[in-house]
Amino acid sequence: MNAAQLPPVAPEVTATLVEGLSSRLRKRLDAAVTKLAARPTHRDGDTTTIEVDDETELRLHAPGGVVAKAEDITCGCLLAPACVHRAAAACAAPAADLAPEPAEQATPEAPGPASGTAPAAVGPDAARALGLNVAPTSGPDAATGVAADAAPGRAPNTAPDAATPHETASPDQRAAADALWSAGAAVLEAGVDGAGAVTQSALLRAAHTARLRHLPRAAGAALSVVTLLRAARSGNPSYRTAELVTALAELLGTAHRVGTASGAELAAVRGRVRRPYSPDGSLRLYGLFTEPVVTDSGHGGVRTWVAGADGRLFTVGDVAPGGAGRALGVADRAVRLGDSALTHRELGRAGLAVSGATVSPDGRLGAGKAVKAVTARGAAWTEPPLAALWGTPPAEQAARALRSTSRYADPDGTGSDLLFLDVELLGAIREPGGACLLAQCEGGVRVRLTVADDDPALAHRDNLALLAAAPGTRLRIIGRLIPATHPRLTLLACTHPTGEGTVDLGLDRLRRADLPDPSAPAHFAPPQPAGPGGPSPLYLLERRVEQTVPAGRAALGLLSDVTAETRRIRRGGLPTAAALLTALCASAAQRDRDLFGRLLPADTDGFAAYWLAAARYTAAVSESLCAAAWNATEGDQVAVPPVPVHDVAG
C-alpha cells in the first residue's frame, strides 16, 4: 500500500483516533502503521478498503475526497471501534488541509506545506539568543512551503489578514501557539527516529486547534512538519533533511511570534487560509517562456510566464498528477484562460489581451468565468516592454529574488525569484555534484548555470551540455536564483544561439547545428578559486543544526568538545555563530538531577529556543553571503556582513 492510495484524513480525525487508544495500543501504533502499509488496498468510489488479514477489512469513507469524521473509518475486527487498526490507517494516510482553494483556481495543483509560530516559556539565556524583545523580520513567502507547482518543502503563499495597529493575539491564540511550540519542541527532542505516530498526532491536534483559533500559517507549518516526518520515516527518496529543518524552524519561529506580535506583524504571523484572487482590470500581456514543472510528489505540468506592459510578471499554470510525461503533453494544450486558443508553448512567445483579469498575490492569473482573453501580438526580448527586464543591474535583481526566496520571511506575495541577464558563455566547470556552465554577466560577475530538472525526459540537461560547447557565445537568459555563496542560477530560457527567437530549455531541444561551431567539443573553463577568504565556516554550525533533526537532542548531547569548531568559526569572522554553537551543544548536554541523584526531565523548550536561533541565524548569514557574492567582481574579497542574532531569531 502506498500512502498516496489512501484518501487524505483530516488532522483532527487522526488526533482523535490516536488519543482514544490505550497506552498499550499506543506503543504498538508505529508497528501497526508499518504492517498496514504492506497490505493490499483498493478503491471503489468514495470508499477505500484495506485488507488487514484474510478475514478483516478496514474501510475509509471519503465523501468529497477527504475523511472528515472519525466514524468514516471502520474496521471489521473484534476489537473495533477501539482497535489500533483505525488509528493506524489514519496515520498512514496523507494529512488533509481542509482550507478551501479559491474558486478561480481552475487547474489542479500539487499539495504542499506551509509555515508556523508560538513559544513556550524559555530561560533568560535562550530568550536573549532568540531576541524576544526585538521586532521580527519581514518579507515574502516561505515552505511548499510548496505551492503546487513550486519546489517541494516550501510554504504556500498566504496573504495576511488585516489587523489594527495595536491589536495583539487573543488568549486562545496564545494558548494554541504554545501548544504548537510544545509539539514542535517534542519533535526536535525525539528526532525523526523517535517522532512516531503519537508525536505526530500531538502536532495534528495542535494544528487543528490553531486553525480554529484563526492561525492558519502556524497550522499549515505543523502539517508540513508531519508530512515531512512521514516521508523521512517511510524512506521516501524525495525527502531532504534540509526541508524538515526549514519546516520545523518555520513552525517554532511562527509559534514564538504569536505572543509578541501586534498590528501588521500579527496579521502576517496569523496568515490567511485562502490565497485570494483580486480584480486587476484589463491587462496587456507579453509571453516570456514556458517551463515544465515536475514535483517529487508525482505531479507534472507547465507554468508559462508573461509580463505586463508595466513589467509585472504573471503566470498561467496547469499542474496535476502525472510527472514528466504530463508536463511534455500539457505544453501543447490550450491555455485555460478566456477564449484564447493559444497553447502554453505559443503563449510563451505571443501575447494576450485580458479583460476582467483576476490575480493572486503571487502573480497567478485566475481563470474564472468572467475572465476574457484574446490572442494579441507578442514582443521580442529586445523590444519594449520586455527589454526593460534586462535593464536592472544583476545585483539588484539578485537582492529582489532573495527577498522572494527567503526561507523564513513573512508572506506578502510580492517579488519573483527570476533573473534576467545578458551573459557570455565561458564553458563548463566541474563541481562535486557534476558539471555546470560558467557564464560572465555585467560587472564581471561569474555565474554558474545549472539544470532546472535532471529528468532525462526533459531537455534541460542535453541543452546545457550543448551550450558548454559554445564558449564566447553571447546570450540573453532567464534563470531562477539558487541561494549560494557564489552567483548561481538554474537556466530556464535563453535566446537562440543563432539570434533567431528564444528557447524554452526544458521543452525545446537544441541541436549541434544550432551552435556557432557545431564541431566544437564541450569546453571546460579553468577551475574557479573559492575566493581569497576561502569557503565560509558557517557549515560547521549548519551541520549541527541539521544533525539534530534526524537523531534528536541526544545527537548533540553526546558530542565531547566543540572548541576546535568554534575556534575555526571565530577565525572566519562569525563570533555569533561560534557562540550559538557553544550554547546549542551545552543546552543539549545539560541534564540536572534532583536531591536523590535522579535525572530530571530535559529542558526541551530551552534547547528548542537555541536550535531555532541557530537555524534562523545560518539562513540569514547564507542570504547575506549570497547577496554579497552578486555584488562582488572577479577577484574581490566577499566579506560576511554582521548579522545580529536578535535580527534573525524573531
Side-chain angles (χ1 to χ4, degrees):
M1 176 188 73
N2 189 312
Q5 297 175 302
L6 299 180
V9 177
E12 65 272 22
V13 171
T14 303
T16 298
L17 292 174
V18 173
E19 290 164 359
L21 295 176
S22 66
S23 58
R24 179 179 62 87
L25 290 180
R26 287 191 187 189
K27 294 177 181 178
R28 296 171 48 190
L29 182 55
D30 289 327
V33 172
T34 303
K35 183 177 179 181
L36 209 60
R39 301 302 301 169
T41 303
H42 65 271
R43 179 176 295 184
D44 183 10
D46 291 336
T47 302
T48 300
T49 303
I50 305 172
E51 297 180 13
V52 178
D53 53 41
D54 294 339
E55 299 178 353
T56 306
E57 288 186 338
L58 182 66
R59 291 186 174 87
L60 292 83
H61 184 54
V66 174
V67 178
K69 298 182 296 184
E71 296 77 18
D72 289 337
I73 302 180
T74 58
C75 183
C77 74
L78 295 176
L79 295 178
C83 63
V84 73
H85 302 132
R86 297 172 67 222
C91 292
D97 186 351
L98 298 182
E101 281 295 321
E104 292 178 328
Q105 195 66 21
T107 54
E109 293 190 337
S115 12
T117 116
V122 296
D125 290 338
R128 282 193 294 272
L130 279 168
L132 299 186
N133 298 321
V134 180
T137 57
S138 60
D141 78 5
T144 26
V146 182
D149 52 3
R154 294 231 353 130
N157 208 339
T158 52
D161 285 320
T164 59
H166 302 293
E167 181 182 355
T168 58
S170 68
D172 284 345
Q173 287 178 328
R174 295 187 184 194
D178 286 345
L180 280 170
W181 172 277
S182 298
V187 171
L188 201 59
E189 172 75 15
V192 169
D193 295 339
V198 175
T199 302
Q200 295 167 26
S201 169
L203 260 178
L204 293 174
R205 172 62 71 193
H208 175 60
T209 303
R211 181 79 72 184
L212 295 179
R213 300 291 182 264
H214 307 293
L215 297 173
R217 180 178 174 184
L223 293 184
S224 299
V225 172
V226 171
T227 299
L228 289 166
L229 281 174
R230 290 176 175 178
R233 291 174 63 85
S234 65
N236 189 322
S238 66
Y239 166 76
R240 299 291 183 271
T241 299
E243 293 177 5
L244 184 51
V245 168
T246 298
L248 258 176
E250 175 69 10
L251 168 62
L252 293 170
T254 310
H256 160 64
R257 292 172 59 191
V258 168
T260 58
S262 62
E265 181 193 344
L266 177 62
V269 169
R270 286 191 305 215
R272 178 175 287 177
V273 176
R274 296 175 55 137
R275 184 193 300 116
Y277 281 71
S278 57
D280 208 338
S282 298
L283 295 174
R284 179 66 168 90
L285 303 175
Y286 300 85
L288 280 166
F289 71 102
T290 299
E291 64 170 319
V293 176
V294 181
T295 71
D296 290 332
S297 60
H299 288 67
V302 295
R303 183 197 296 115
T304 298
W305 289 81
V306 296
D310 57 358
R312 285 189 297 161
L313 299 182
F314 304 92
T315 59
V316 183
D318 186 344
V319 181
R326 185 179 188 278
L328 295 173
V330 168
D332 294 313
R333 292 185 193 173
V335 174
R336 300 177 184 178
L337 192 66
D339 303 320
S340 172
L342 291 173
T343 66
H344 281 275
R345 283 182 192 261
E346 292 169 342
L347 176 58
R349 295 172 173 84
L352 277 180
V354 183
S355 63
T358 56
V359 183
S360 73
D362 59 354
R364 298 171 188 242
L365 291 168
K369 294 181 180 179
V371 178
K372 306 296 181 184
V374 295
T375 304
R377 177 187 174 276
W381 289 2
T382 53
E383 299 174 352
L386 299 186
L389 296 171
W390 280 264
T392 305
E396 291 184 25
Q397 294 191 51
R400 180 210 64 219
L402 270 174
R403 291 192 295 271
S404 171
T405 59
S406 181
R407 279 177 274 180
Y408 305 116
D410 292 335
D412 64 5
T414 61
S416 163
D417 56 0
L418 298 184
L419 270 70
F420 303 83
L421 304 176
D422 289 305
V423 302
E424 178 182 344
L425 303 184
L426 302 178
I429 58 172
R430 293 184 175 90
E431 295 186 320
C436 68
L437 181 58
L438 188 67
Q440 184 163 293
C441 62
E442 179 184 331
V445 176
R446 294 194 170 187
V447 186
R448 289 168 169 84
L449 306 176
T450 65
V451 296
D453 194 309
D454 213 26
D455 192 313
L458 304 177
H460 291 293
R461 187 172 58 186
D462 293 340
N463 285 336
L464 200 73
L466 276 177
L467 291 174
T473 302
R474 295 181 179 272
L475 296 175
R476 180 159 278 193
I477 67 170
I478 301 176
R480 176 167 289 116
L481 178 74
I482 300 177
T485 55
H486 53 264
R488 194 176 189 90
L489 301 176
T490 53
L491 189 57
L492 301 173
C494 69
T495 51
H496 199 281
T498 63
E500 299 178 4
T502 61
V503 182
D504 295 336
L505 289 165
L507 300 171
D508 305 326
R509 290 190 179 272
L510 292 170
R511 298 171 299 174
R512 283 205 170 270
D514 296 325
L515 303 181
D517 182 2
S519 62
H523 173 78
F524 282 88
Q528 298 300 299
S536 168
L538 184 67
Y539 78 92
L540 295 170
L541 177 59
E542 286 177 324
R543 73 176 182 180
R544 298 307 182 193
V545 169
E546 288 199 4
Q547 185 180 359
T548 307
V549 171
R553 180 187 56 80
L556 293 189
L558 294 175
L559 292 178
S560 55
D561 187 7
V562 292
T563 303
E565 294 182 17
T566 57
R567 187 182 299 116
R568 182 175 174 186
I569 293 174
R570 289 183 188 279
R571 284 202 304 266
L574 298 170
T576 302
L580 278 172
L581 179 58
T582 301
L584 180 65
C585 293
S587 177
Q590 183 178 1
R591 291 296 301 273
D592 296 329
R593 296 178 181 271
D594 63 14
L595 295 175
F596 299 98
R598 296 171 298 192
L599 280 174
L600 294 173
D603 180 12
T604 57
D605 289 338
F607 176 72
Y610 282 118
W611 182 88
L612 173 60
R616 297 294 296 265
Y617 173 86
T618 55
V621 173
S622 295
E623 291 166 11
S624 296
L625 288 170
C626 180
W630 280 91
N631 279 289
T633 57
E634 183 179 1
D636 281 353
Q637 170 85 31
V638 178
V640 180
V643 183
V645 67
H646 60 261
D647 286 345
V648 299

